[in-house]
Amino acid sequence: MAFVQLEGLGKRYGEIDAVVATNLSVEKGEFVSLLGPSGCGKTTTLQMIAGFVEVSSGRIVLDGRDITHAKPASRGLGVVFQSYALFPHMTVKDNVAFGLRMRKVANGELQQRVDRVLKLVRLNQHAERYPRELSGGQRQRVALARALVIEPPVLLLDEPLSNLDANLREEMQFEIRRIQREVGITTLMVTHDQSEALSISDRVVVMQAGRITQIDAPYTLYEHPRTEFISGFVGKANLLPGERDGAGVVQVRSGGELILSLRPEKIDLRDKGQGRLQGNIVSRFFLGSQWLYGVSTTLGELSVVRRNDGSAPLTEGTAVGLDWDATLLRVLSVDEVPA
Ligand SMILES: Nc1ncnc2c1ncn2[C@@H]1O[C@H](COP(=O)(O)OP(=O)(O)O)[C@@H](O)[C@H]1O
Ligand SMILES: [Mg+2]
């Protein structure tokens, strides 16, 4: 049996179905992200697992134990929320030790555990500082240390990096993953940031309007999005009409009844007259390591991403041919969930 199991989990607020009949199994040591747009029920799901929001229907099972109605403290889970309030009048060390003092852990052991976890989050040099003397990223690490020091069976993170600026956020993504691997702790993280979910998770759970719509490893999710919404939410997608040819192979066809997705980096630019489709460059954006082109075609405007290999980019107005490997076309299902 999975380590954390959600069985038909649901939450109603009056007339609003915040979370609907959610089934999810998380293995021990796994890092799973809940990804979806604002309001889709991510926080509610996490809060039900933490025990801060009462469950309307279904069950939560942790390591074989039904904890659906257990008090939050008795679940003993590590929780880091978006607004992680540290105690301002306590040093880093005391902030981290707080949970252990509450649990009446003996002083010798307490010191050892605090030292160990501060090393883990690389804050052992700052143990005597106060929160106001720390950067945003360092404070975030204190919050993480505070959750980890109680050695919880599961770590719950709700948008833990959303208060950090872009560079720091990326750095902290790798930090969280390193720490999670080192400790081997089962982790559930909520995020609305698809690149964050893809870069650090073992599996990503996509949520829409209170429902799970896809669960897959990051690479599979990106390469095989199930629906139109997911293809556009997880990365960028070109949507094209298509149909199956006599051999059952999917092809792009004007007026075809299938909806196909083709990622911008899967399209090659060729000389005018070559390739599968003709177009004109109508826009060009420099992304640093890549160029993003807008190309107008008879099938609509397509996005094409090309690696910046150091050569001069194409200019707007240039006529080009577009080509792709037909095996990279994905057939999408129509969204069954209201947006
Ligand atoms: N305490 C509450 N009372 C009423 N509605 C709520 C409450 N908390 C959340 N909701 C509603 O439940 C839905 C899911 O919210 P939430 O889980 O916070 O979404 P997310 O974290 O994905 O942004 C939203 O429609 C939200 O307005
Ligand atoms: Mg939320």
Side-chain angles (χ1 to χ4, degrees), residues 11-14 16-19 36-47 53 158-159 190 192 207 210:
K11 179 65 189 177
R12 273 206 126 206
Y13 287 111
I16 298 173
D17 276 315
V19 176
S38 175
C40 73
K42 306 180 296 292
T43 294
T44 304
T45 303
L46 210 70
Q47 297 263 18
V53 163
D158 192 346
E159 312 254 5
V190 160
H192 65 271
M207 287 186 73

Side-chain angles (χ1 to χ4, degrees), residues 242-263:
E243 59 190 31
R244 288 184 201 279
D245 64 18
V249 178
V250 170
Q251 301 287 354
V252 172
R253 283 278 180 282
S254 173
E257 50 211 37
L258 299 175
I259 303 170
L260 306 180
S261 157
L262 182 62
R263 297 289 186 197

